[in-house]
Amino acid sequence: MKKFNFRKVLDGLTASSPGSGSSSSGNSGSGTGGGSNQPGGTAGVLREEIQETLTSDYFQICKTVRHGFPYQPTALAFDPVQKILAIGTRTGAIRILGRPGVDCYCQHESGAAVLQLQFLINEGALVSASSDETLHLWNLRQKRPAILHSLKFNRERITYCHLPFQSKWLYVGTERGNTHIVNIESFILSGYVIMWNKAIELSTKTHPGPVVHLSDSPRDEGKLLIGYENGTVVLWDLKSKRAELRVYYDEAIHSIDWHHEGKQFMCSHSDGSLTLWNLKSPSRPFQTTIPHGKSQRDGRKPESCKPILKVEYKTCRNSEPFIIFSGGLAYDKACRRPSLTIMHGKSITVLEMDHPIVEFLTLCETPYPNEFQEPYAVVVLLEKDLIVVDLTQSNFPIFENPYPMDIHESPVTCTAYFADCPPDLILVLYSIGVKHKKQGYSNKEWPVSGGTWNIGAQTYPEIIITGHADGSIKFWDASAITLQMLYKLKTSKVFEKQKIGDGKQTSEIVEEDPYAVQMIYWCPESRIFCVAGVSAYVIVYKFSRHEITTEIVSLEVRLQYDVEDIITPEPETIPPFPDPSSQLPSSKSLSGSTSTVASEGATKDSIPCLSVKTRPVRMPPGYQAELVVQLVWVDGEPPQQITSLTVSSAYGIVAFGNCNGLAVVDFMQKTVLLSMGTIDLYRSSDPYQRQPRSPRKNKQFIADNFCMRGLSNFYPDLTKRIRTSYQSMTELTDGPVPLELERCKSPTSGFATRTPEAAPGFYRNELPAVRQRNQVHHLPDHVNGHCTSPTSQSCSSGKRLSSADVSKVNRWGPGRPPFRKAQSAACMEVSLPVTTEESRENSYNRSRSSSISSIDKESKEAITALYFMESFARKNDMTISPCLWVGTSLGMVLMISFNLPSTDEQRYTEPVLVSPSGTLLALKGAVLTFSCMDRLGGLMHPPYEVWRDPNSMDDNEKGRKRKLVMNSPSTSQEMADHQYAVICSEKQAKVFSLPSQTCLYVHNITETSFILQAAVVVMCNSACLACFCANGHIMIMSLPSLRPMLDVNYLPLTDMRIARTFCFTNEGQALYLVSPTEIQRLTYSQEMCDNLQDMLGELFTPVETPEAQNRGFLKGLFGGSGQTFDREELFGEASAGKASKSLAQHIPGSGGIEGVKGAAGGVMGELTRARIALDERGQRLGELEEKTAGMMTSAEAFSKHAHELMLKYKDKKWYQF
């Protein structure tokens, strides 16, 4: 029977639907639903000319790689032969690191914290112990590690694990003080158990506590050293099943380490002391020291110090041993940072760390515990960093970390992702950034050098940009699924440092992080970079290879509009249920700091939040500040945060908006072109009725509770109350939802009516006051140019289209218009629980919050999206012009056209004319993104200026004219549409034909949720619309038909961090900040999913285990390890019996996809076990052969000496001796 691909059938049905109109409706279980329609006329032409090539077979969601420092680390392990490092975390994740490019992430399904990690050295396997009392065996001989076996303890908690080198028996200590033994091959518990009451003396009346240490003696593998928390140490003879010796100390034990000869061991204690014990005299310590304790004059014991949490005792052949420990500082040094102490001979070196030490490991030359260890480095795992100290140099420098472990150096506040950018950019940014790298690193290679990695087939340039809370910007090379720091820009350098007692207005607005980056915009082709900060400022940067010293030009803009923002419906459109505002309490208590305005002194007015440097500033090569634009206080009200930002290098214009209005600035002439309230942009076409505001209503309350808050709200330990002004957010709560809010499916519950014209007295026009520094003072009119009366045709956003509705679609209907749900972006509150193990398991009830629940019960119309394009400014225009598309939080799309001077010389002197065109189009929900396509379906990029160095010393470069790439649509004399606008809101997507402004396609993406991020991207040389929904769905739609290509429930919104940092880019790539320290990259491209295995690094590489040193005949004979210790005979089922089934449960694992699926049983499992057994047998034979050879050599030497003695005394008489 022939098999059909249903996805292709659906694609074919959608593509072959008639042009007169087709409709599909319905809501899926995820709450998404939609339809796509094509009216006649232009739609038929579009269907003929644009052939869509993308099908659902092109798309698949797959995680690719995770970058950054493992969040909340708990455990550390190192394979000294394979030279790979493993880090476990509190969330159950394991990161395995090798050489640069070898970086693997795996996750325990239970999410339980990782307690301990143990490599099977040079075996390509890893054992993890979790807080849910489960042991897991991971197979590392594949690019995606998988669990082969699991063993869950039912009655005891795991506290410590130890796996001897080249052994298949794992020792497991428990909280009850017992020691169990697990077979690594079968992951079955042995019947051999060391009970705590057998290990301690019978006369002991107290429990020794949990097992804190297990290790076999380097001298004799048949002796196991067991350390208990209360200070008892037992050397257990495994063969005779009895304690060979016991030592007692009156301080709790934290760690133990052997001397390589097996005659001594060292313990660290809770009083900051180190004790050295000799097996020949176990009654008392051979040596006791408190390294950081103050010695007493009268010879008494030094004062106690903080606990030494771990000690390692490593010997060297040609020097004194290394004693390395963490903790142990004196209690009187409370301000001292966490430290690692290195004792080498008589020298004591204390290395202070920036963060608490989680774990450390000493890297040694040999994996054998009974040889000189020869330590060469120390890996120190901190709470927020990973460092490696070089022990081979006397000053102990650290190695330069090749991994991107400093993403979180300052909290990440925003991200941007650029795939397939100009190839020379990475080299240029690296050449600038490498000059500012830190110095003083060790000159040796990074010691974690295991695994193999190749670039793979896909090698297009990728750049990730991260904005941070301290105002810094980091550029990262993300090509070939790696991440490397390229360049760092500090935006705070353009501002004066805040002195104590000064700048009170700044501290009132933002209690901390006043320079935090909120939005970034980058044009890779022109290298223009723009930053919007949390303190209501915008900085425009230009790139230069040359250093300059210049003054920073700054502008101050008033962007405040006094109008009653509550949208009131007509009497006949009032809903039948009560007004939600009467049901919701007033939000008086807010997170963050509050400001007191006018309570002391005069009302603040025309004051910016930060002070720009007025003196000449030296700017190094790289990005140099061209212009700073700051919003100012207006009559005691602080400036609102910036919610949208865009720049055009071709036009020389930057535009930004917030919940008050829009500002457009000419950064070439350093003038403000337009500063307007959102209502003024409509002119006479405002479709909403707005009531006049009472004079200065609730000004004190508004100033106290504005949006601008510190970035500490993004990372609290309690409930997150994050107030955003860039788009309406849902309130995710686990509590019950009122009936009124349950009925409200849009972001807000206020209703609005469309009216042909609003009374001009409903709002007041204010002349924007502009203050400019370092330039001639220029005060423009309301706009620098003329304002034309706008057209206000739009497309109905509340229903699907049909050919019969075309005439109704393109104009406001007479009489009583259909009302729509108004959507507000005014300082909505989003309450999200902390991402903890408990809350992670909860499902979030997604319901839309009312606009009345905003801070001051206002529903301001914010500017949420901006887009520069060569387009048709008005309906049925025959010529294109530079335009700015403006999207608002109420779903309205406005157009602003520009009249630019024709020549380069005039561009710097002649004014730029700005003409708002009024309301053009309407969508349901806040507008998120714009894009344009030509009549052939190709994506039209915004125009840009080809980069040239503004500070070049070359005369030819200075005299070169501006080279603009316009990407304009082709125009002809025929009355045909030449351009198609793609607009996506948080509820739906629409495709319009321009200049006729006909709505060709509409797709209602979701009804019960809302879109967080949307972007028009290019994949396989075709454009598509990618959306990330608040309910966790990732959706891809083809363009221009808006056919659904992919809808996957990928990731529920459990943290606002994801919403702030999720971003799509070309070639099927996306990323988000999965934790405060890690970036997760993913792909929605089927091709990349197929090629991902080739791009990932190999963790395991075949390496021969180094040979053990020849100990010699006499040392082997009298050293204590002359006889072979057979653990199989001792711990096997034949001699030890079976363990109780109720003690632990064996759980077979998936085993991965690369030939190890049957490792738990079947032919492959038998082969695996046979191979390991053969290796062990061969190893034992090799050891026996070495010992035999040693004995033969010694015998020959003895025979030679005996023969020489015989010859010497052969002829002598007895009395001659």
Side-chain angles (χ1 to χ4, degrees):
M1 180 177 178
K2 185 177 180 181
K3 294 182 180 179
F4 290 94
N5 189 324
F6 285 95
R7 293 197 296 181
K8 291 185 177 180
V9 172
L10 291 175
D11 292 338
L13 288 175
T14 308
S16 61
S17 57
S20 59
S22 63
S23 177
S24 62
S25 63
N27 296 333
S28 63
S30 64
T32 59
S36 57
N37 302 330
Q38 306 132 15
T42 310
V45 177
L46 181 66
R47 173 69 65 180
E48 294 175 4
E49 293 183 352
I50 299 180
Q51 297 294 328
E52 296 182 5
T53 59
L54 292 178
T55 65
S56 56
D57 290 336
Y58 283 81
F59 301 95
Q60 181 183 346
I61 294 290
C62 178
K63 291 182 180 179
T64 54
V65 68
R66 182 173 292 201
H67 302 297
F69 180 76
Y71 184 53
Q72 296 179 331
T74 55
L76 182 68
F78 181 72
D79 187 329
V81 179
Q82 288 290 321
K83 297 196 180 298
I84 55 177
L85 189 75
I87 301 173
T89 72
R90 194 177 301 173
T91 58
I94 298 177
R95 285 280 292 280
I96 304 174
L97 305 170
R99 67 175 67 248
V102 179
D103 188 343
C104 179
Y105 168 84
C106 42
Q107 173 75 42
H108 292 90
E109 292 184 1
S110 64
V114 178
L115 299 179
Q116 195 175 352
L117 296 172
Q118 284 274 320
F119 275 105
L120 277 67
I121 296 176
N122 204 26
E123 290 292 330
L126 176 72
V127 175
S128 63
S130 302
S131 60
D132 60 352
E133 324 319 328
T134 307
L135 296 172
H136 304 274
L137 178 64
W138 294 84
N139 173 34
L140 306 184
R141 294 179 178 245
Q142 58 191 56
K143 293 186 176 182
R144 295 280 194 182
I147 294 177
L148 295 174
H149 303 280
S150 297
L151 186 67
K152 182 172 178 58
F153 284 76
N154 297 322
R155 295 184 295 186
E156 299 189 57
R157 295 183 57 189
I158 301 171
T159 57
Y160 196 87
C161 297
H162 170 64
L163 181 65
F165 180 44
Q166 295 180 332
S167 170
K168 66 177 183 180
W169 297 96
L170 174 71
Y171 301 114
V172 181
T174 67
E175 189 180 34
R176 293 186 180 181
N178 303 324
T179 302
H180 301 275
I181 301 172
V182 179
N183 187 306
I184 288 296
E185 295 175 359
S186 60
F187 238 58
I188 296 176
L189 209 58
S190 169
Y192 192 110
V193 183
I194 305 174
M195 305 300 292
W196 68 270
N197 53 355
K198 299 289 183 64
I200 65 174
E201 288 184 344
L202 297 177
S203 60
T204 305
K205 298 180 180 180
T206 59
H207 191 279
V211 176
V212 296
H213 178 81
L214 292 168
S215 62
D216 54 342
S217 170
R219 191 178 185 187
D220 188 352
E221 296 176 351
K223 307 291 176 60
L224 181 67
L225 193 69
I226 308 174
Y228 296 95
E229 189 180 54
N230 73 339
T232 301
V233 181
V234 176
L235 185 64
W236 183 264
D237 191 324
L238 295 169
K239 290 182 179 179
S240 62
K241 299 183 180 180
R242 66 178 182 84
E244 182 172 298
L245 65 84
R246 301 180 180 92
V247 301
Y248 300 95
Y249 196 69
D250 55 359
E251 293 291 342
I253 291 177
H254 286 280
S255 69
I256 304 175
D257 200 17
W258 280 100
H259 188 279
H260 82 277
E261 292 181 349
K263 298 177 181 179
Q264 295 177 336
F265 60 87
M266 182 174 287
C267 303
S268 68
H269 300 277
S270 57
D271 63 344
S273 65
L274 296 174
T275 56
L276 184 64
W277 298 83
N278 198 319
L279 297 185
K280 292 182 179 180
S281 56
S283 58
R284 61 193 183 101
F286 176 75
Q287 182 181 350
T288 302
T289 59
I290 302 181
H292 296 296
K294 292 182 178 179
S295 58
Q296 304 292 335
R297 293 182 180 179
D298 53 2
R300 290 182 301 173
K301 181 181 177 181
E303 292 182 355
S304 297
C305 296
K306 296 178 183 178
I308 295 179
L309 302 179
K310 183 178 181 180
V311 63
E312 292 205 347
Y313 187 23
K314 303 301 179 184
T315 55
C316 302
R317 185 180 300 275
N318 300 319
S319 65
E320 296 289 331
F322 280 89
I323 300 174
I324 305 170
F325 61 88
S326 61
L329 295 179
Y331 280 105
D332 59 350
K333 298 179 180 179
C335 297
R336 287 282 292 272
R337 295 185 292 179
S339 65
L340 184 78
T341 303
I342 302 175
M343 299 174 62
H344 188 213
K346 295 183 179 180
S347 68
I348 299 179
T349 304
V350 179
L351 305 178
E352 292 189 343
M353 306 296 170
D354 293 331
H355 309 285
I357 297 175
V358 176
E359 176 68 287
F360 75 89
L361 287 175
T362 305
L363 308 188
C364 302
E365 296 288 352
T366 176
Y368 295 94
N370 57 355
E371 299 178 356
F372 283 102
Q373 299 300 289
E374 302 294 345
Y376 60 90
V378 180
V379 179
V380 187
L381 178 63
L382 309 177
E383 279 190 359
K384 295 184 179 180
D385 201 359
L386 176 72
I387 66 171
V388 180
V389 181
D390 187 358
L391 294 179
T392 61
Q393 301 183 41
S394 58
N395 59 340
F396 303 127
I398 65 172
F399 290 87
E400 184 177 5
N401 197 328
Y403 314 124
M405 293 291 185
D406 58 345
I407 293 175
H408 62 289
E409 184 179 14
S410 175
V412 178
T413 55
C414 62
T415 59
Y417 192 6
F418 300 87
D420 203 13
C421 47
D424 61 328
L425 265 182
I426 292 178
L427 184 59
V428 168
L429 290 172
Y430 179 79
S431 63
I432 297 296
V434 74
K435 299 176 182 178
H436 305 285
K437 277 193 172 183
K438 296 179 181 179
Q439 305 296 326
Y441 291 110
S442 172
N443 54 8
K444 295 193 175 182
E445 293 185 0
W446 180 254
V448 185
S449 57
T452 57
W453 175 77
N454 52 27
I455 296 179
Q458 296 177 332
T459 57
Y460 49 82
E462 298 175 74
I463 292 178
I464 293 174
I465 304 177
T466 55
H468 299 265
D470 63 351
S472 61
I473 305 284
K474 293 182 179 180
F475 292 77
W476 306 84
D477 177 12
S479 307
I481 70 170
T482 61
L483 196 68
Q484 182 184 5
M485 176 83 155
L486 292 175
Y487 172 71
K488 182 176 180 180
L489 172 67
K490 295 181 179 179
T491 63
S492 59
K493 288 190 173 181
V494 304
F495 300 106
E496 298 285 357
K497 290 183 179 179
Q498 297 295 319
K499 299 180 181 178
I500 299 176
D502 294 343
K504 190 176 180 182
Q505 68 272 13
T506 304
S507 61
E508 289 175 350
I509 294 178
V510 184
E511 66 178 25
E512 59 181 17
D513 303 321
Y515 309 110
V517 178
Q518 190 175 10
M519 306 182 80
I520 53 181
Y521 186 95
W522 188 44
C523 177
E525 291 80 9
S526 64
R527 303 183 187 176
I528 291 288
F529 186 67
C530 197
V531 178
V534 73
S535 298
Y537 63 83
V538 171
I539 308 176
V540 180
Y541 288 91
K542 287 187 176 181
F543 187 86
S544 175
R545 288 194 174 101
H546 304 279
E547 178 181 313
I548 60 169
T549 300
T550 183
E551 293 185 358
I552 300 174
V553 182
S554 67
L555 298 175
E556 296 176 1
V557 177
R558 291 173 68 95
L559 195 58
Q560 197 83 359
Y561 200 77
D562 233 0
V563 66
E564 178 60 55
D565 292 314
I566 297 179
I567 304 173
T568 57
E570 293 180 351
E572 60 250 29
T573 63
I574 295 177
F577 49 85
D579 186 0
S581 62
S582 63
Q583 309 293 327
L584 297 174
S586 175
S587 298
K588 293 283 186 180
S589 61
L590 302 172
S591 61
S593 62
T594 60
S595 62
T596 55
V597 182
S599 59
E600 297 179 4
T603 301
K604 294 176 183 173
D605 187 68
S606 302
I607 300 175
C609 300
L610 300 172
S611 300
V612 179
K613 292 180 179 178
T614 56
R615 63 183 183 278
V617 178
R618 185 188 71 85
M619 298 183 186
Y623 275 104
Q624 300 166 348
E626 176 79 4
L627 176 67
V628 180
V629 184
Q630 291 183 284
L631 299 181
V632 297
W633 288 66
V634 178
D635 297 334
E637 295 186 13
Q640 302 296 308
Q641 286 184 347
I642 294 169
T643 58
S644 56
L645 173 69
T646 189
V647 181
S648 173
S649 59
Y651 307 153
I653 296 174
V654 57
F656 59 93
N658 61 9
C659 58
N660 286 327
L662 173 70
V664 180
V665 177
D666 184 345
F667 65 80
M668 296 180 68
Q669 297 187 24
K670 311 295 189 300
T671 58
V672 177
L673 301 178
L674 181 143
S675 174
M676 235 185 214
T678 310
I679 314 305
D680 276 344
L681 296 175
Y682 288 100
R683 306 302 295 170
S684 61
S685 302
D686 186 4
Y688 303 110
Q689 293 182 350
R690 310 177 196 248
Q691 300 300 325
R693 190 179 192 173
S694 57
R696 297 300 170 198
K697 167 193 168 186
N698 291 335
K699 176 161 292 186
Q700 177 68 40
F701 179 68
I702 296 170
D704 287 348
N705 302 295
F706 51 83
C707 299
M708 201 170 297
R709 298 293 169 193
L711 265 295
S712 60
N713 291 327
F714 290 148
Y715 301 94
D717 292 331
L718 303 176
T719 302
K720 300 177 188 287
R721 300 181 63 83
I722 303 170
R723 307 166 64 197
T724 68
S725 60
Y726 56 87
Q727 66 181 26
S728 51
M729 289 290 186
T730 184
E731 186 166 356
L732 307 182
T733 172
D734 293 325
V737 183
L739 176 62
E740 293 79 8
L741 292 184
E742 192 64 39
R743 295 181 182 178
C744 177
K745 299 301 182 183
S746 70
T748 61
S749 60
F751 284 82
T753 58
R754 295 189 179 102
T755 57
E757 209 170 321
F762 282 178
Y763 50 87
R764 189 186 78 227
N765 294 335
E766 293 182 343
L767 191 66
V770 180
R771 296 187 358 180
Q772 179 180 352
R773 296 176 182 172
N774 305 328
Q775 290 285 322
V776 178
H777 187 73
H778 174 68
L779 191 65
D781 294 336
H782 200 66
V783 290
N784 192 357
H786 63 282
C787 295
T788 60
S789 59
T791 58
S792 56
Q793 288 98 355
S794 181
C795 166
S796 173
S797 61
K799 62 179 181 178
R800 298 178 178 86
L801 303 178
S802 64
S803 58
D805 294 331
V806 175
S807 59
K808 299 178 183 178
V809 160
N810 296 323
R811 65 176 62 92
W812 300 114
R816 197 174 65 171
F819 58 79
R820 60 189 290 269
K821 298 173 183 178
Q823 298 170 342
S824 167
C827 309
M828 301 299 294
E829 284 192 355
V830 179
S831 299
L832 289 179
V834 184
T835 307
T836 61
E837 286 80 11
E838 293 80 4
S839 63
R840 197 180 298 273
E841 297 172 0
N842 297 333
S843 60
Y844 295 91
N845 179 25
R846 298 170 178 86
S847 62
R848 303 311 303 255
S849 62
S850 168
S851 65
I852 309 301
S853 67
S854 59
I855 298 308
D856 49 351
K857 297 185 180 179
E858 294 184 356
S859 55
K860 296 181 179 180
E861 186 175 8
I863 306 298
T864 57
L866 296 168
Y867 185 73
F868 280 108
M869 194 64 213
E870 291 279 307
S871 185
F872 301 94
R874 294 169 181 80
K875 185 176 182 179
N876 296 328
D877 273 1
M878 293 304 299
T879 59
I880 60 171
S881 62
C883 294
L884 174 64
W885 293 68
V886 181
T888 75
S889 57
L890 297 182
M892 306 307 296
V893 178
L894 313 172
M895 187 81 81
I896 296 176
S897 63
F898 299 90
N899 188 357
L900 300 172
S902 57
T903 64
D904 286 352
E905 292 77 10
Q906 293 177 341
R907 178 63 187 86
Y908 287 94
T909 56
E910 298 294 326
V912 177
L913 303 182
V914 185
S915 303
S917 302
T919 304
L920 293 179
L921 313 168
L923 285 85
K924 181 181 179 182
V927 178
L928 298 181
T929 189
F930 298 101
S931 191
C932 284
M933 303 176 70
D934 58 27
R935 64 181 303 159
L936 299 179
L939 189 63
M940 296 178 58
H941 298 280
Y944 63 88
E945 176 190 0
V946 177
W947 176 78
R948 58 174 181 172
D949 196 330
N951 306 316
S952 175
M953 302 299 178
D954 188 358
D955 294 335
N956 296 331
E957 182 77 10
K958 285 183 178 181
R960 184 166 62 90
K961 292 185 177 181
R962 299 175 67 215
K963 181 180 179 181
L964 305 182
V965 179
M966 302 307 294
N967 297 321
S968 302
S970 58
T971 58
S972 63
Q973 298 300 322
E974 302 176 1
M975 286 295 294
D977 288 338
H978 310 285
Q979 195 179 61
Y980 306 104
V982 181
I983 308 174
C984 183
S985 72
E986 61 181 8
K987 284 291 186 179
Q988 63 180 187
K990 289 185 178 182
V991 176
F992 294 90
S993 177
L994 300 179
S996 66
Q997 298 181 10
T998 303
C999 184
L1000 300 177
Y1001 299 93
V1002 58
H1003 181 76
N1004 295 316
I1005 300 173
T1006 178
E1007 294 292 339
T1008 59
S1009 186
F1010 61 105
I1011 304 299
L1012 289 169
Q1013 295 291 338
V1016 176
V1017 295
V1018 175
M1019 200 175 84
C1020 301
N1021 298 319
S1022 297
C1024 59
L1025 175 64
C1027 302
F1028 175 57
C1029 196
N1031 60 11
H1033 282 244
I1034 291 179
M1035 292 160 282
I1036 310 293
M1037 284 148 280
S1038 67
L1039 291 176
S1041 66
L1042 295 176
R1043 288 182 297 119
M1045 297 282 101
L1046 180 74
D1047 187 349
V1048 175
N1049 190 0
Y1050 172 74
L1051 179 73
L1053 179 63
T1054 56
D1055 202 311
M1056 272 300 301
R1057 182 189 309 106
I1058 300 173
R1060 286 187 295 107
T1061 58
F1062 199 104
C1063 53
F1064 295 98
T1065 188
N1066 298 331
E1067 308 300 335
Q1069 307 285 345
L1071 66 80
Y1072 60 94
L1073 202 68
V1074 68
S1075 74
T1077 63
E1078 295 170 289
I1079 289 176
Q1080 177 66 59
R1081 291 167 66 179
L1082 62 144
T1083 181
Y1084 47 92
S1085 165
Q1086 178 69 60
E1087 181 184 2
M1088 186 165 184
C1089 290
D1090 296 338
N1091 298 329
L1092 185 59
Q1093 287 295 112
D1094 298 332
M1095 303 175 68
L1096 296 175
E1098 292 276 1
L1099 293 174
F1100 179 80
T1101 54
V1103 179
E1104 290 188 5
T1105 303
E1107 296 183 359
Q1109 295 178 1
N1110 190 353
R1111 306 183 67 191
F1113 173 71
L1114 295 177
K1115 195 168 185 179
L1117 186 61
F1118 300 106
S1121 59
Q1123 52 185 344
T1124 304
F1125 175 65
D1126 191 351
R1127 294 186 178 92
E1128 180 69 33
E1129 180 182 350
L1130 191 60
F1131 303 144
E1133 185 177 330
S1135 58
K1138 291 185 178 180
S1140 173
K1141 293 184 178 180
S1142 62
L1143 185 61
Q1145 176 188 0
H1146 175 262
I1147 305 170
S1150 60
I1153 59 173
E1154 296 184 11
V1156 204
K1157 290 183 178 180
V1163 178
M1164 289 301 297
E1166 295 298 331
L1167 289 175
T1168 302
R1169 285 190 283 273
R1171 183 188 61 79
I1172 296 176
L1174 186 63
D1175 289 344
E1176 289 189 353
R1177 182 174 179 272
Q1179 194 169 7
R1180 290 172 185 161
L1181 288 175
E1183 293 176 357
L1184 182 60
E1185 185 180 356
E1186 289 177 1
K1187 292 180 179 179
T1188 304
M1191 293 176 65
M1192 290 181 62
T1193 303
S1194 300
E1196 289 178 359
F1198 179 77
S1199 174
K1200 182 179 179 182
H1201 288 300
H1203 184 67
E1204 290 177 355
L1205 285 172
M1206 183 196 68
L1207 294 178
K1208 182 176 180 180
Y1209 299 108
K1210 181 176 64 173
D1211 297 330
K1212 291 187 179 182
K1213 303 297 181 179
W1214 61 271
Y1215 53 81
Q1216 293 178 330
F1217 288 98

